[in-house]
Amino acid sequence: MRKILKQYGLLIWLSLILVAGFVFTNLAGFMVSRDAIHQSLSEQTLPITSDNVYSEIQKDILRPVFVSSQMAHDTFLRDWIINGEQEPEQIVRYLKEIKTKNNAISSFMVSNLTHQYYHASGVLKSVSPTEARDQWFYRVAAMKPAYETNVDVDMANRDSMTIFINYKILDYSGKFIGATGIGMTLDTMKRLIDSYQTRFHRNIYFVDQKGTIVLAGSNIKKSRSSLQSTPGISDIATQILANKKSDSLHLEYKLDNDHILVNSRFIPELGWHLLVEQELNGDLKPLQDIAFINIAISAAITLIVLILLVLSVKRYQARIEKSAATDQLTSLLNRQAFDFVFQQALLDSERSRQPLCVALVDIDFFKKVNDKHGHLVGDHVLKEIALIAKRSLRESDIICRWGGEEFLILLKNCTLEKATSISENLRSTIAANDFSRTTDLAKGRLSITVSMGVAQYKDNESEDSVFERADVALYQAKENGRNSVYFSE
């Protein structure tokens, strides 16, 4: 088991990374798409729906507000009240014309001077502060805003639930002299809301400034009465009611397992909040299905890729090992591979009691070669020295590239004296070589010299110690004019 793990450890890790990558990619894609849908619904779709509904409201609901405003500022109506309300048939005819022209269910005017309640069919009654059904008039008289939107029974239409626009009438000095306006039946408005919901496929309803649902489709009205008493949305009721701006407010709440987005805006003309709701789970269902399909496809692809990886690892394992142990420029062993070879040589030397030496080679003034002739010539010098060393050394000797312009030679079964001789032979061969013969990059003869430090491995000596002694000998060679071989006792 350990052998398998050691041999295929990298493959196992790659497989796990690949599987994790597929899972992460799919989950990340799902989350990004989910967030995009969430953002699109919250910041684009729902606000657009809200804008469309608001446009419809301006036509279907807000029109009574504008009509009532015109009535309250009509000089005929104000003059008729101020002049003593003579000839009641005039105001009745006026209210009937307003009702017919605007297709309203009711039109009315209540005088604060005579307390008479006029409507399109005549005088309905006299209002009284002691009558509960007349309290709306005294509320309007005392309120600061110019008008209110009120849902109440219409006495002139068999007590049918009606949306009234109660608009204050002021004389020319700003004194309250009455209230006027028109009304629309609540059933008519519910049908309008139902048509909105059918058209936009979202829950649409209105709440007053206390949170009471005053206008909604039949499906919502049956299950809800106010924001504060409705599970889920009660958590954000305070935020909704605190918004007194007509700008859209993006909110959301959870109900059971459903995630519901809410777009809320305040409609100052009505004094109500318009709410548009959208369930997020329904829009995410197709996305979830696609995510599951992608995971299944990814699993199949993962299996195929794993099979290909097994075949590829077996084919290229030897090549990878060779590449990992070789310096790309000189094709010599690199320092990491040499460490392993040196450890094996130490064991062989200790077992056979045969001497072992190392020689450290450094190219003299190599930086000047690069600066004068360029790095391509410098690379050529390194490769040429590697070739010279291979030809000059014994078959059992091993050379590696130790650093930038340094080489290290391992001399097996070799005394210090013999190692120094071999090193001197290599030094003189390099010094006599014309490096320009094998390249077109250098102009004129190019001579290179090296300095070398030799050390013999001692019993129980550490690897670092023998290399350090060879480095000290190399330093002495460089300090004493370079192009020489020094050894360490």
Side-chain angles (χ1 to χ4, degrees):
M1 184 66 180
R2 290 183 177 178
K3 184 177 179 181
I4 294 175
L5 289 175
K6 185 176 181 180
Q7 185 175 4
Y8 294 100
L10 178 60
L11 178 59
I12 293 172
W13 278 110
L14 288 175
S15 302
L16 292 175
I17 292 172
L18 186 62
V19 171
F22 275 124
V23 173
F24 175 78
T25 300
N26 280 283
L27 289 178
F30 171 75
M31 293 175 66
V32 169
S33 300
R34 180 196 63 186
D35 293 343
I37 290 177
H38 184 287
Q39 184 177 7
S40 177
L41 285 173
S42 177
E43 299 181 8
Q44 298 179 19
T45 306
L46 290 185
I48 290 174
T49 300
S50 179
D51 291 340
N52 290 336
V53 173
Y54 183 70
S55 298
E56 297 284 344
I57 290 171
Q58 286 183 313
K59 180 179 68 176
D60 298 325
I61 299 179
L62 296 185
R63 180 172 175 79
V65 176
F66 302 140
V67 173
S68 300
S69 175
Q70 291 177 340
M71 294 171 65
H73 294 88
D74 194 322
T75 55
F76 162 75
L77 186 61
R78 291 192 289 177
D79 288 343
W80 185 83
I81 297 173
I82 294 171
N83 292 332
E85 303 176 27
Q86 303 296 320
E87 300 183 27
E89 61 274 9
Q90 290 184 352
I91 199 64
V92 171
R93 186 166 57 249
Y94 172 83
L95 294 173
K96 185 176 182 179
E97 182 70 15
I98 292 290
K99 175 185 174 182
T100 303
K101 184 176 180 181
N102 294 282
N103 196 28
I105 191 66
S106 177
S107 60
F108 65 93
M109 191 281 291
V110 180
S111 170
N112 191 44
L113 302 181
T114 63
H115 297 95
Q116 293 294 302
Y117 189 126
Y118 300 93
H119 67 95
S121 300
V123 179
L124 181 64
K125 59 175 291 188
S126 294
V127 297
S128 170
T130 60
E131 177 66 40
R133 299 183 67 171
D134 296 336
Q135 292 306 306
W136 68 269
F137 175 74
Y138 298 98
R139 182 179 67 248
V140 170
M143 70 182 185
K144 291 183 178 180
Y147 72 94
E148 70 169 8
T149 305
N150 185 40
V151 179
D152 204 350
V153 295
D154 187 0
M155 293 178 289
N157 287 282
R158 293 174 292 182
D159 286 351
S160 61
M161 293 302 295
T162 303
I163 299 177
F164 285 103
I165 308 299
N166 301 321
Y167 221 108
K168 296 171 70 171
I169 307 173
L170 305 178
D171 63 12
Y172 299 105
S173 62
K175 180 182 178 182
F176 176 76
I177 58 175
T180 189
I182 61 176
M184 300 182 68
T185 61
L186 198 60
D187 289 339
T188 300
M189 300 311 301
K190 285 182 179 179
R191 285 195 294 271
L192 286 174
I193 297 299
D194 286 335
S195 69
Y196 296 159
Q197 293 185 155
T198 302
R199 191 187 317 170
F200 299 115
H201 304 289
R202 294 173 179 89
N203 289 333
I204 301 169
Y205 56 99
F206 297 85
V207 299
D208 63 17
Q209 298 184 50
K210 295 181 180 180
T212 303
I213 297 177
V214 293
L215 189 57
S218 54
N219 61 327
I220 293 181
K221 195 61 177 177
K222 291 178 182 178
S223 59
R224 307 183 187 184
S225 58
S226 70
L227 297 184
Q228 294 88 340
S229 63
T230 303
I233 200 170
S234 59
D235 297 334
I236 58 173
T238 302
Q239 293 175 263
I240 293 173
L241 299 178
N243 180 35
K244 300 302 181 181
K245 299 180 180 179
S246 58
D247 296 336
S248 293
L249 183 64
H250 311 306
L251 299 170
E252 56 188 78
Y253 67 90
K254 290 184 178 180
L255 181 61
D256 297 328
N257 294 325
D258 292 331
H259 199 87
I260 301 173
L261 303 179
V262 180
N263 183 271
S264 171
R265 68 189 301 169
F266 183 68
I267 303 178
E269 296 88 347
L270 293 175
W272 293 347
H273 296 269
L274 167 63
L275 274 68
V276 180
E277 290 183 351
Q278 171 80 39
E279 288 186 8
L280 186 60
N281 292 0
D283 288 319
L284 290 181
K285 183 62 169 62
L287 188 63
Q288 291 173 342
D289 294 340
I290 292 174
F292 288 136
I293 293 173
N294 287 340
I295 290 175
I297 294 174
S298 299
I301 293 175
T302 301
L303 181 61
I304 294 172
V305 172
L306 288 179
I307 295 173
L308 293 175
L309 274 174
V310 171
L311 297 176
S312 299
V313 166
K314 289 184 177 180
R315 177 179 297 180
Y316 294 107
Q317 188 171 13
R319 184 182 299 178
I320 292 173
E321 290 176 354
K322 182 179 179 181
S323 175
T326 305
D327 176 63
Q328 293 184 356
L329 180 64
T330 62
S331 298
L332 299 175
L333 290 179
N334 59 28
R335 188 165 183 170
Q336 290 75 18
F338 184 83
D339 287 339
F340 176 77
V341 172
F342 185 75
Q343 290 296 332
Q344 294 298 317
L346 282 181
L347 294 175
D348 292 341
S349 176
E350 291 175 354
R351 184 168 53 250
S352 63
R353 309 301 298 175
Q354 292 178 346
L356 180 69
C357 291
V358 296
L360 196 58
V361 184
D362 184 85
I363 302 174
D364 296 331
F365 304 111
F366 184 69
K367 185 177 183 302
K368 292 183 178 180
V369 175
N370 282 329
D371 294 341
K372 182 177 180 180
H373 300 282
H375 288 278
L376 291 178
V377 173
D379 290 346
H380 167 71
V381 169
L382 291 170
K383 291 188 286 187
E384 189 74 9
I385 288 179
L387 292 173
I388 294 172
K390 286 180 179 179
R391 293 194 299 264
S392 302
L393 297 174
R394 300 172 304 171
E395 187 176 349
S396 61
D397 298 333
I398 299 172
I399 181 172
C400 83
R401 187 175 179 190
W402 193 248
E405 68 268 23
E406 288 186 335
F407 298 87
L408 186 64
I409 303 171
L410 177 62
L411 301 160
K412 297 181 181 179
N413 190 20
C414 187
T415 62
L416 181 61
E417 182 181 357
K418 187 176 181 180
T420 304
S421 176
I422 292 173
S423 299
E424 178 60 33
N425 179 62
L426 175 60
R427 181 204 62 76
S428 61
T429 302
I430 293 173
N433 184 65
D434 181 6
F435 285 81
S436 66
R437 290 184 301 101
T438 52
T439 181
D440 297 330
L441 298 173
K443 297 179 180 180
R445 180 182 176 84
L446 177 60
S447 297
I448 300 294
T449 62
V450 296
S451 299
M452 300 180 65
V454 183
Q456 181 176 343
Y457 175 73
K458 298 179 180 180
D459 291 340
N460 300 321
E461 186 179 18
S462 68
E463 179 181 346
D464 291 339
S465 177
V466 67
F467 291 155
E468 183 178 351
R469 289 194 295 110
D471 189 58
V472 169
L474 173 62
Y475 180 78
Q476 289 176 343
K478 294 169 69 174
E479 283 291 308
N480 290 283
R482 292 183 169 82
N483 191 22
S484 58
V485 178
Y486 277 69
F487 60 87
S488 172
E489 293 287 353

